[in-house]
Amino acid sequence: MSIIQLDHVSVTFKRKKAADVQAVQDVTLHIEKGDIYGIVGFSGAGKSTLVRTINLLQKPTAGNVVVGGVDFVEDGKQVISGKDLQARRRKIGMIFQQFNLLNETTVIENIAFALKHSDLSDDELEEKCHELLKLVDLEDKANAYPAQLSGGQQQRVAIARALANDPEILLSDEATSALDPQTTIQILDLLKKLNRELGLTIVLITHEMDAVKKIANKVAVMENGRVVENGNLRDVFLQPKAELTQKFVGGSLAVVDTLKSLNISLAENEALYQLVYSLNNVAKSIIIELYREVGVEASMLYGNVEVLADEPVGTLLITVKGDANKQKATLKFLNDEGVTVTELDERGNRL
Amino acid sequence: MINGLVHWIAQNFPNIYNLGWSGDTGWGTSILQIIYMTFWPSIFGGVLGLFFGVILVLTEPGGILENKFWFNFCDKLISILRAIPFIILLACISPLTRLIVGTEIGDTAALVPLTLGIFPFYARQVQVALESLDPGKVEAAQSLGTSNWDIIFDVYLKETRSEIIRVSTVSIISLIGLTAMAGAVGAGGLGTTAIQYGYRDFANDVTFLATVLVVIMIFIVQVVGDFLAKKLNHQHR
Ligand SMILES: Nc1ncnc2c1ncn2[C@@H]1O[C@H](COP(=O)(O)OP(=O)(O)OP(=O)(O)O)[C@@H](O)[C@H]1O
Ligand SMILES: [Mg+2]
């Protein structure tokens, strides 16, 4: 069973003197233990609202929410008591864009605050807090006040605080959006480390595709309260289906845009292929191999390498001249090499 | 030195001198009375004001204990009490005063209207101070599974404490202003001195000194308030 199960979840905000806002509409999303699940979309897409239904900071108006096997919401009705919810929330950490630390308490008190309910002795509490500070590499700042720290350091305190109760899940709502690129990388690396070492399941909301590319293994793309595309990072990234996803993935992977600008026309016996492959598996030069092994001449229109979750992934656009048999042999050869091939027309549409 | 000063006052400001220090009309008595009439209403009004301020913020739309009925009830109550001019409040609530302190006249009797006069004002200020808290902090606490009780004390009150001290200072200063009117129910204090023995007796020097003493008192409250507010603030570098 998935650790987070959202089934047909909707959130509608009722407003006075204005139309209701359907912030989330019929979203079904299952997140497995150990996933780093990226959720991307433009501002107002409903990402925050959706993720807040996981710890019921936002009550859904319809649908089911099951987290860690515990029913939170059934048919839009909360089925967990307030007390139980409090206890469950301790197993679902959350970090925010604005850190949301308590400014009138020191760093270590901020962390201890998360453990207030626990029956740890003072010594145990202190030890636990120091362990957490060590985990985020901030032991020397234990007695500082949050305002004395940099944004990255504050976010690390927030992470330590969110992890105080040994949660299974960490929700991250734009946690790196207020940070500079360097610090963003540090925080993402930390999240990745926590995922690897503690098996922490992470839900990562962001509008920075780079963050998702760096650490996520799955991704969902949201628009107007709906999930328009989701799946494995590699699939969504390299073969985006929804128009929005293509826009989002944008930049170097905008195969369609590239083709439009190239404005090519294919000859009678010519085919256009998009090749996607892991550079870890396919080290040879594909074009040379095609010539040597299959005897076809391929010419390259476009090439790019993306690093997705630590794996270098290449994308090539090639045209291959040859009759039907040659084309068939080409496809067979590429498949055998572990390359994902999609045949496209001149405009970049899949065939 | 003191004797010299007293002698000088007796010579130059007989009106001031004649009121004496410790008698019924004495300066020392008035000063103690105004402190008495400021201190207790600050405590009682402070507790009531904090209580209602907190309730308003918790029950307001979007609050952690959102409740239309109690929010509207408290909101209206505070608004109505605030709308009554203090001098009218002083007179109108004498039956309630008698019920609570057993008398309608004097310094102790003044404590009841003073408390009732100041707490709605303070409650509103507390409400504004608490609302200045970033709701994200409350959400973060909720996401940690913090109890509502801890959210009230450790998040709302602790995070806004310096703002609360600031509004407390403003409220205490307003309260000192209200005590000046307490003479209407036979209470003493520097306000009564200024009006009864100064203004009405055409003793301008008495009015002047009483005013200066009130201003000094306000100044002390302001300085102490500012100091505490600053000392307890870690919101910025
Ligand atoms: N409490 C609320 N009351 C009314 N409308 C709301 C509320 N919270 C969110 N909305 C609306 O719901 C929609 C989705 O908001 P949400 O904050 O989930 O978007 P988001 O994808 O997180 O955007 P961003 O990237 O800007 O954070 C928006 O149209 C927003 O205005
Ligand atoms: Mg958001």
Side-chain angles (χ1 to χ4, degrees):
Chain A
M1 185 172 36
S2 310
I3 189 163
I4 299 171
Q5 288 182 289
L6 304 178
D7 285 293
H8 304 290
V9 168
S10 297
V11 180
T12 306
F13 292 109
K14 297 233 177 294
R15 292 189 300 180
K16 279 180 194 156
K17 295 183 205 139
D20 293 350
V21 181
Q22 300 215 303
V24 173
Q25 299 183 55
D26 193 28
V27 168
T28 296
L29 207 59
H30 290 187
I31 298 177
E32 305 300 327
K33 194 165 165 38
D35 274 351
I36 298 186
Y37 210 115
I39 297 183
V40 296
F42 291 114
S43 188
K47 307 179 294 293
S48 299
T49 309
L50 177 68
V51 164
R52 288 149 50 86
T53 64
I54 297 172
N55 59 1
L56 286 200
L57 281 182
Q58 178 63 55
K59 311 239 175 334
T61 38
N64 299 334
V65 178
V66 184
V67 181
V70 179
D71 288 327
F72 281 15
V73 175
E74 249 176 63
D75 274 337
K77 300 245 165 10
Q78 182 174 337
V79 290
I80 183 169
S81 73
K83 265 258 154 315
D84 289 347
L85 178 60
Q86 256 173 38
R88 290 302 311 169
R89 276 179 173 162
R90 294 182 189 132
K91 296 293 170 193
I92 311 171
M94 185 160 186
I95 53 176
F96 306 83
Q97 180 170 0
Q98 296 308 330
F99 323 131
N100 291 336
L101 296 174
L102 299 177
N103 287 330
E104 299 296 354
T105 52
T106 61
V107 163
I108 195 154
E109 286 165 345
N110 260 284
I111 299 173
F113 173 70
L115 293 163
K116 209 163 174 173
H117 63 91
S118 74
D119 41 21
L120 295 176
S121 71
D122 287 356
D123 284 348
E124 288 168 327
L125 188 69
E126 188 159 345
E127 199 189 316
K128 176 90 196 174
C129 291
H130 278 289
E131 252 171 50
L132 287 158
L133 281 174
K134 195 169 165 185
L135 185 69
V136 297
D137 202 17
L138 273 180
E139 282 163 296
D140 50 332
K141 298 287 184 197
N143 296 312
Y145 283 91
Q148 299 167 324
L149 304 181
S150 72
Q153 289 170 330
Q154 289 194 47
Q155 194 59 286
R156 267 143 64 195
V157 176
I159 292 173
R161 181 177 71 171
L163 296 178
N165 291 297
D166 306 312
E168 295 143 11
I169 298 168
L170 182 68
L171 309 177
S172 163
D173 190 350
E174 304 271 13
T176 58
S177 299
L179 306 175
D180 61 58
Q182 199 89 35
T183 316
T184 295
I185 291 176
Q186 282 175 16
I187 296 290
L188 292 175
D189 283 342
L190 175 62
L191 293 181
K192 183 82 202 175
K193 180 178 113 174
L194 296 169
N195 168 259
R196 232 182 359 240
E197 291 176 8
L198 310 176
L200 193 64
T201 305
I202 299 176
V203 182
L204 187 78
I205 302 185
T206 179
H207 55 252
E208 301 158 321
M209 264 314 198
D210 286 341
V212 171
K213 275 200 305 204
K214 193 162 162 52
I215 66 170
N217 64 329
K218 300 218 183 105
V219 60
V221 182
M222 281 192 82
E223 183 179 31
N224 295 330
R226 294 181 190 277
V227 169
V228 292
E229 184 160 359
N230 66 320
N232 284 319
L233 178 72
R234 204 169 184 270
D235 301 342
V236 173
F237 249 91
L238 298 175
Q239 272 131 353
K241 292 180 191 73
E243 201 174 314
L244 175 76
T245 318
Q246 293 176 0
K247 259 189 225 157
F248 238 100
V249 168
S252 53
L253 279 175
V255 168
V256 177
D257 280 352
T258 309
L259 280 172
K260 274 187 186 145
S261 61
L262 285 175
N263 203 10
I264 56 164
S265 52
L266 295 172
E268 186 74 13
N269 61 345
E270 204 175 17
L272 172 65
Y273 299 117
Q274 178 185 358
L275 316 184
V276 175
Y277 54 96
S278 164
L279 267 66
N280 290 342
N281 304 333
V282 183
K284 307 172 226 174
S285 162
I286 289 177
I287 292 181
I288 295 178
E289 290 296 313
L290 272 175
Y291 181 72
R292 208 180 276 161
E293 302 287 323
V294 191
V296 292
E297 271 182 51
S299 50
M300 192 175 97
L301 298 177
Y302 168 93
N304 178 56
V305 175
E306 289 276 339
V307 179
L308 295 179
D310 289 339
E311 185 191 13
V313 177
T315 303
L316 283 183
L317 276 185
I318 58 171
T319 55
V320 175
K321 281 205 179 90
D323 57 22
N325 279 335
K326 286 278 189 220
Q327 299 291 358
K328 221 170 166 182
T330 303
L331 288 176
K332 182 174 181 321
F333 169 78
L334 291 171
N335 277 328
D336 290 349
E337 290 289 322
V339 176
T340 312
V341 189
T342 321
E343 187 172 359
L344 305 175
D345 69 11
E346 294 147 328
R347 311 263 89 213
N349 302 312
R350 295 153 163 269
L351 290 178
Chain B
M1 158 77 186
I2 297 261
N3 280 341
L5 183 66
V6 170
H7 185 72
W8 180 79
I9 291 173
Q11 293 278 300
N12 295 286
F13 301 102
N15 293 326
I16 292 176
Y17 180 78
N18 287 340
L19 288 176
W21 179 256
S22 57
D24 270 0
T25 60
W27 289 99
T29 312
S30 298
I31 291 170
L32 283 180
Q33 281 167 335
I34 196 173
I35 290 175
Y36 175 77
M37 289 191 296
T38 306
F39 182 79
W40 290 111
S42 292
I43 301 290
F44 299 135
V47 170
L48 277 174
L50 272 176
F51 178 79
F52 277 92
V54 168
I55 296 292
L56 282 169
V57 172
L58 297 184
T59 58
E60 74 187 5
I64 60 172
L65 295 172
E66 183 171 344
N67 185 310
K68 267 209 180 81
F69 174 79
W70 285 111
F71 175 76
N72 283 327
F73 176 81
C74 295
D75 191 56
K76 296 284 166 328
L77 180 75
I78 299 288
S79 293
I80 291 167
L81 283 174
R82 275 201 66 185
I84 306 174
F86 182 65
I87 196 82
I88 296 173
L89 186 75
L90 264 178
C92 290
I93 62 155
S94 53
L96 177 69
T97 304
R98 171 174 288 279
L99 194 75
I100 296 174
V101 294
T103 170
E104 288 173 22
I105 290 288
D107 303 336
T108 304
L111 298 184
V112 177
L114 283 170
T115 300
L116 278 182
I118 200 62
F119 102 80
F121 175 75
Y122 185 53
R124 277 286 182 242
Q125 305 245 18
V126 169
Q127 182 187 6
V128 172
L130 295 178
E131 279 169 353
S132 74
L133 181 71
D134 179 354
K137 298 205 164 129
V138 177
E139 282 199 336
Q142 285 180 308
S143 79
L144 291 167
T146 308
S147 67
N148 289 336
W149 205 247
D150 286 341
I151 289 178
I152 294 171
F153 285 97
D154 289 346
V155 183
Y156 271 117
L157 292 174
K158 194 165 181 187
E159 278 294 295
T160 60
R161 62 189 183 183
S162 145
E163 200 49 39
I164 287 183
I165 288 170
R166 213 163 281 132
V167 302
S168 303
T169 308
V170 171
S171 300
I172 291 173
I173 289 171
S174 296
L175 178 61
I176 293 173
L178 296 185
T179 64
M181 285 185 253
V185 290
L190 287 169
T192 304
T193 302
I195 291 168
Q196 292 296 61
Y197 316 131
Y199 178 70
R200 292 216 183 116
D201 290 350
F202 305 103
N204 289 336
D205 50 349
V206 168
T207 310
F208 182 74
L209 180 61
T211 309
V212 167
L213 290 175
V214 170
V215 169
I216 290 174
M217 198 170 149
I218 288 174
F219 185 73
I220 292 171
V221 170
Q222 186 76 59
V223 167
V224 171
D226 286 350
F227 172 78
L228 286 175
K230 196 160 175 212
K231 181 153 175 98
L232 292 176
N233 186 342
H234 298 97
Q235 302 287 331
H236 309 285
R237 252 166 220 254

